[in-house]
Amino acid sequence: FNSTFSSIMAVPLLAILVSCAVTSPKPFTLDANFSVKTTFNQTYGYGMRCPNPSNPSDCSPMALLLDIYEPVGLDTPKPAIILAHGGGNSGGSKEQNCFQQTAIFFAQRGFVAFNIDYRLAGDHGTIPKMPDTILSGWKPSWQSGYPAVRDMKAAVRYARANAARLSIDSNKIAVSGGSAGATNAVATGVTFDGDYKDELTLEEDPTLNTTNLNQSSTVQCVYAHWSSDGEIDLVTQYDPKHTSRFGTHNAPIIEFHGNMDPTINISHAYRVQQEYQSTGVPYELHVLDGCGHGAWCYGCGEQCACPNGTAGYCNVMDTIAFPFVTKHLGLV
């Protein structure tokens, strides 16, 4: 009886096991196969905030916060993507819906997504001394650009420092953003690992010690919306040798940019594209014909910008970018 019973049960059990193997969610495809766990307002480091820049004694540490979006049920090491909101490095926050929705989009497909806040112009973050320079076109200032990129690079190091806890593959990290946030992301993907960190000593900025300095801030891919090259130029001009930051070490970039953008002219994207062509690093530019700045609803109907601005969302650009990102992270 026992032998017969065992034989009868073996087939259904095998069928169950095969069924489970076939129906297990598959990551890194355009299908939204995972539910998402969100953890809000995690501290990824600190930065100095100086409300009265003329009086350094008024400076104090400011917590840098991010939200974490994780795919539920995916136990293998996962890629990460770090998102930075727009607002000219003077406004905006991680509460902007378009970035929250992009974080969910990537987490549903197997990524750990980090949606970050960073110091803005009004926080008067600690900056290195820099001679006056003149930049053509849209020009993020050293005063706002330096703390913003410094903080985004700190978020990359936070992701690597927490790779074991969050099951992240630390060799597969992308950065993304819109407008100023995209400019920060492009700078993160192009500049040297020590840029936006080594210009200040620990005496000048003791909060650097909270930003996982033993980790690298290099990334493997950039997904940008209407970015500028201005923050690449900032560190190049600060460098006494004016060494170009463009080279084969740069992260591949996919850029979306309206050809009617009055805020960050598309010429900035063409310039980066030309630099990438000279080094052979992949750069994929999607020209949004007839679109201005902040075209968050591109592809959803006839409009470019959402009627409610960054509170709106359309997944078309995420859907287009996803294969590029997964390819250059080595996931396909």
Side-chain angles (χ1 to χ4, degrees):
F1 173 80
N2 288 341
S3 176
T4 303
F5 180 77
S6 297
S7 298
I8 292 171
M9 290 300 297
V11 174
L13 181 59
L14 178 61
I16 291 170
L17 291 174
V18 170
S19 174
C20 288
V22 170
T23 59
S24 295
K26 186 177 181 181
F28 321 134
T29 73
L30 281 171
D31 297 322
N33 286 331
F34 298 92
S35 58
V36 178
K37 171 189 172 184
T38 307
T39 307
F40 296 103
N41 295 321
Q42 300 298 291
T43 299
Y44 67 91
Y46 289 81
M48 295 305 290
R49 180 178 183 273
C50 304
N52 182 7
S54 63
N55 185 2
S57 64
D58 285 347
C59 297
S60 60
M62 170 182 169
L64 306 173
L65 302 179
L66 55 73
D67 301 334
I68 306 173
Y69 297 73
E70 301 174 73
V72 175
L74 182 58
D75 297 327
T76 57
K78 296 170 278 292
I81 185 166
I82 297 162
L83 308 169
H85 65 80
N89 287 338
S90 61
S93 79
K94 61 183 174 64
E95 309 307 321
Q96 291 177 347
N97 181 60
C98 54
F99 297 99
Q100 293 174 329
Q101 294 303 316
T102 293
I104 292 170
F105 180 96
F106 276 84
Q108 287 176 329
R109 292 156 178 82
F111 281 65
V112 177
F114 299 89
N115 188 21
I116 72 169
D117 273 340
Y118 52 91
R119 285 173 296 164
L120 302 174
D123 296 316
H124 299 288
T126 307
I127 59 172
K129 291 183 174 62
M130 185 181 183
D132 291 335
T133 58
I134 299 175
L135 301 175
S136 61
W138 185 75
K139 41 187 182 295
S141 72
W142 192 238
Q143 285 74 20
S144 62
Y146 186 89
V149 183
R150 181 270 203 190
D151 293 351
M152 188 165 207
K153 287 192 167 195
V156 176
R157 295 195 295 271
Y158 173 89
R160 283 205 167 89
N162 288 275
R165 178 175 68 87
L166 296 171
S167 187
I168 291 172
D169 185 336
S170 61
N171 294 312
K172 301 183 188 303
I173 298 179
V175 287
S176 182
S179 191
T183 301
N184 302 338
V186 168
T188 298
V190 171
T191 59
F192 300 152
D193 190 42
D195 289 337
Y196 291 97
K197 179 185 63 151
D198 294 346
E199 298 87 356
L200 289 171
T201 66
L202 291 175
E203 288 74 24
E204 293 170 317
D205 181 6
T207 62
L208 279 170
N209 260 334
T210 70
T211 64
N212 300 289
L213 294 177
N214 61 326
Q215 302 290 335
S216 170
S217 63
T218 58
V219 297
Q220 287 68 54
C221 191
V222 178
Y223 165 27
H225 304 86
W226 34 94
S227 70
S228 169
D229 51 357
E231 287 166 353
I232 303 169
D233 291 338
L234 285 178
V235 288
T236 303
Q237 292 169 352
Y238 180 84
D239 180 354
K241 296 181 179 180
H242 303 298
T243 303
S244 173
R245 267 48 181 174
F246 292 103
T248 56
H249 70 280
N250 297 155
I253 295 176
I254 182 168
E255 165 88 13
F256 294 82
H257 211 123
N259 59 3
M260 301 296 290
D261 190 333
T263 306
I264 302 179
N265 191 276
I266 196 171
S267 60
H268 293 276
Y270 288 139
R271 183 257 176 134
V272 177
Q273 182 183 48
Q274 184 177 22
E275 295 283 1
Y276 268 56
Q277 286 174 343
S278 70
T279 62
V281 178
Y283 183 95
E284 187 173 301
L285 175 61
H286 291 260
V287 177
L288 311 184
D289 190 41
C291 293
H293 199 67
W296 290 111
C297 278
Y298 171 79
C300 292
E302 297 182 0
Q303 75 273 25
C304 295
C306 301
N308 51 351
T310 56
Y313 174 71
C314 171
N315 70 2
V316 167
M317 288 183 287
D318 288 343
T319 301
I320 294 170
F322 192 80
F324 182 94
V325 174
T326 55
K327 175 183 177 181
H328 291 291
L329 293 184
L331 300 169
V332 293

